[in-house]
Amino acid sequence: MAIVQQLIVIVLEIWTIIFNFSASTAAAAQPKKYSAVLVFGDSTADTGNNNFVNTLFTANHLPYGQDLPGHAPTGRFSNGKLMPDFIAGFLGIKDTIPPYLDPNLSNEDLLTGVCFASAGSGYDELTTAASGVIPVSKQLEYFKEYIGKINGLIGADAAKKLLSEAVVIISAGTNDMTFNYYDIPTRRAQFNISEYQDFLQTKLHNYIKQLYDLGCRQMIVAGLPPIGCLPIQTTARFKNPLDRKCLDEQNTDSQSYNQKLIKLLNQLQASLPGTRLNYADVYEPVIEMVNNPQKYGKLNHLDRDVSWFL
């Protein structure tokens, strides 16, 4: 099985536990019914929006999509489905999440959830300044437009209920760290690493609050992966492509960011009545596969199918 698919299986198991059981009544809880899946973020969640914007950051060519039905690229930065697709399928909503910018969306597509994410995006506006991809702030504007559409389809009261019962997935932050701090040190001239993490999470805090004010109540927020093990990072640091290794300092930064994120989500959960904010741990499953690639059918951690991330 492809390494990306292995990651999906592991993380899906974690998210299944999070969403099907409460902390206090895990044994007795019944699976909750969700109305839709709504997605914000970067390439880890973009199901094809970048195909409809003027950017070089596209996944409309092979090997992307090679394991999808039809074996054709769809704009997903993956050889197959992305996590939001699997979440929607597992919840019995639909098999895949369409991109919001697809001009051929049906009413049913809108009512069961769409994706606003854009590969290359991030919480920091500077991340998308030159790329032409959709900033997370613009994704929120599209979401407001979306709310107007579903209000027109089913009425304001039903739309409010739909939003409160939808699963909202937010997955971003990696591009901010790589583009603005490590590889092009624009923000490093302004912040130390802890300050930049706080800068990003202040933006995330405000983003979650805006989603809450618009009616969202069930949210999953993904942490950072081990950034120091991403192919783009290891390749940039080592002259010999066959002698790459993970960058421990960047991985430590990812871990500290994630610890801050857990604390932030707990604080927001306490301050936003009726909200379920869940942290999705991406770091541990990925570092497990990097450290033990043979368990996942790989000879070493450099043997990959499709390099993930923008």
Side-chain angles (χ1 to χ4, degrees):
M1 184 183 289
I3 192 167
V4 173
Q5 292 171 321
Q6 289 281 7
L7 171 62
I8 285 168
V9 169
I10 294 171
V11 180
L12 184 56
E13 289 174 354
I14 296 170
W15 289 7
T16 298
I17 294 170
I18 288 172
F19 260 83
N20 279 348
F21 300 93
S22 69
S24 59
T25 60
Q30 295 297 316
K32 180 177 174 62
K33 296 295 184 181
Y34 296 95
S35 58
V37 177
L38 302 167
V39 188
F40 303 85
D42 56 23
S43 67
T44 57
D46 180 3
T47 60
N49 282 309
N50 278 16
N51 284 350
F52 303 99
V53 297
N54 185 21
T55 180
L56 296 176
F57 292 173
T58 57
N60 55 6
H61 56 84
L62 293 173
Y64 299 116
Q66 64 187 11
D67 295 326
L68 288 168
H71 311 290
T74 61
R76 290 167 172 80
F77 280 72
S78 172
N79 54 299
K81 291 182 179 180
L82 293 177
M83 183 60 65
D85 299 315
F86 282 92
I87 293 287
F90 175 80
L91 295 176
I93 297 172
K94 54 187 174 184
D95 289 335
T96 57
I97 303 295
Y100 178 67
L101 295 185
D102 185 341
N104 298 313
L105 289 178
S106 67
N107 290 345
E108 182 67 15
D109 287 332
L110 292 171
L111 295 174
T112 52
V114 291
C115 173
F116 302 93
S118 176
S121 193
Y123 300 122
D124 187 345
E125 295 290 330
L126 190 58
T127 301
T128 59
S131 64
V133 305
I134 308 166
V136 291
S137 58
K138 179 64 175 178
Q139 293 174 32
L140 193 66
E141 293 303 311
Y142 281 135
F143 180 55
K144 293 175 182 177
E145 180 182 273
Y146 163 84
I147 293 173
K149 291 180 179 180
I150 63 171
N151 280 342
L153 290 173
I154 59 176
D157 290 343
K160 181 178 179 180
K161 185 175 186 293
L162 184 152
L163 293 176
S164 70
E165 295 177 349
V167 177
V168 175
I169 299 172
I170 306 170
S171 181
T174 301
N175 296 320
D176 298 313
M177 299 299 297
T178 56
F179 293 165
N180 292 331
Y181 203 84
Y182 298 133
D183 300 343
I184 305 174
T186 308
R187 291 300 191 191
R188 202 160 68 222
Q190 299 174 265
F191 305 107
N192 62 36
I193 185 61
S194 181
E195 290 169 342
Y196 190 53
Q197 291 171 346
D198 294 343
F199 173 81
L200 295 177
Q201 292 197 11
T202 296
K203 289 185 173 293
L204 175 58
H205 173 283
N206 295 337
Y207 204 75
I208 291 172
K209 181 62 167 58
Q210 290 178 82
L211 288 170
Y212 177 85
D213 291 342
L214 290 168
C216 300
R217 294 295 182 267
Q218 322 287 334
M219 305 186 208
I220 300 173
V221 183
L224 295 181
I227 290 178
C229 295
L230 299 184
I232 189 172
Q233 296 305 101
T234 58
T235 301
R237 297 302 190 280
F238 297 97
K239 294 182 179 180
N240 183 354
L242 299 179
D243 188 31
R244 294 178 291 173
K245 58 184 178 181
C246 293
L247 306 172
D248 292 339
E249 183 178 358
Q250 292 185 13
N251 284 351
T252 298
D253 293 342
S254 294
Q255 290 176 303
S256 63
Y257 176 97
N258 291 339
Q259 289 303 308
K260 290 182 177 182
L261 177 58
I262 293 169
K263 183 177 180 180
L264 171 65
L265 295 179
N266 287 335
Q267 292 171 343
L268 280 168
Q269 172 100 17
S271 66
L272 300 175
T275 302
R276 294 179 67 190
L277 295 176
N278 296 293
Y279 167 72
D281 183 1
V282 179
Y283 186 98
E284 291 300 331
V286 175
I287 202 68
E288 157 67 14
M289 284 185 281
V290 169
N291 291 335
N292 300 288
Q294 68 283 353
K295 290 171 60 177
Y296 304 94
K298 302 297 174 181
L299 297 177
N300 59 66
H301 72 276
L302 301 178
D303 180 15
R304 302 176 184 272
D305 292 284
V306 177
S307 295
W308 33 283
F309 289 97
L310 294 173

